[in-house]
């Protein structure tokens, strides 16, 4: 069952996941941002489904073990927002 | 127009792109592999369309400027193979 | 005050820190290893003093807040050993 | 023999190397900066001698093969400046 979460600013719910597309200046900036997300994700033990194409990073957050959105998704989304 | 390339071992052509899915042990190993791919891509000035979910990395290579596959895609695929 | 720790295999105590020098194949492999150490360090909220030159990574672990070695240093050293 | 280089702004020559200390907000920001330097270094095929402690990154640039400073050191220093 899903937690009753508040969708963080800049994110929307798409296909049952918290979804955000981020555009940076170039690949270097995009991959540095991904590195910070990776550090935050590993610390939280909660990892994104994400993709990258050059300067664009697309992030989807969902709690696979809960088969839906939980407070862990909202918390990671909030943390990612602080990196932008 | 596409170059006449040889598809490197472990890759297949899907939707006009060189495609490979790699599974590593966990997120840490997957992201370390992605970091090596990022270094190789930046060096070659040729970047993947790729996605990651926990231990899985999906890579698509295409030359957007040529609107198809070129020798640069085959070369990056070969380099990625050496990282595995 | 220092904890009474066991020095993990491959490490020695130098200047009151757990010290290890690691040589990898090249810069790419060294920086990928550093990325894995960074992920482990951020997860443990305990970070190394470290340096890199091409394929060589030198790591020193100490608990600055305890002004000496603690169980957190031994634990991070053990985790780093699993990455090698 | 050394090239006759101009020392880039923010750098000084210490022990025959271009030297700069950078302080970021925290480890995450420091390691993301290091990732960008790593990408630039791999692209230039010219790598730093550097160290990190939490939010601090210390960089030394020298051309080991020339046993001194060359235009490659100044160029990498300039590139690193654009990342700050």
């Amino acid at each position: 069952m899903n937690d009753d979460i508040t969708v963080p600013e800049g994110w929307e719910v798409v296909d049952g996941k918290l979804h955000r597309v981020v555009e940076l200046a170039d690949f270097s900036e995009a991959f540095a941002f991904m590195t910070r997300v990776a550090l935050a994700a590993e610390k939280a033990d909660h990892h994104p489904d994400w993709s990258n194409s050059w300067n664009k990073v697309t992030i989807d957050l969902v709690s696979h073990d809960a088969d839906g959105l939980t407070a862990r998704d909202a918390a990671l989304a909030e943390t990612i927002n602080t990196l932008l």
Side-chain angles (χ1 to χ4, degrees), chain A:
Chain A
M1 204 183 82
N2 296 8
D3 292 354
D4 189 15
I5 70 162
T6 302
V7 176
E9 196 180 332
W11 297 75
E12 54 184 331
V13 179
V14 177
D15 291 337
K17 301 177 182 184
L18 286 182
H19 178 81
R20 179 163 192 172
V21 180
V22 177
E23 297 210 14
L24 288 305
D26 55 21
F27 179 75
S28 167
E29 207 175 274
F31 196 73
F33 166 68
M34 291 174 71
T35 299
R36 298 195 70 186
V37 173
L39 290 168
E42 190 74 356
K43 190 170 192 169
D45 205 7
H46 190 56
H47 300 81
D49 296 330
W50 55 347
S51 62
N52 162 248
S53 181
W54 175 242
N55 70 325
K56 197 167 83 174
V57 182
T58 302
I59 307 174
D60 286 286
L61 303 177
V62 68
S63 297
H64 292 292
D65 51 0
D67 201 26
L69 293 172
T70 67
R72 285 175 292 144
D73 301 302
L76 185 54
E78 293 283 12
T79 299
I80 291 171
N81 282 355
T82 67
L83 306 180
L84 291 169

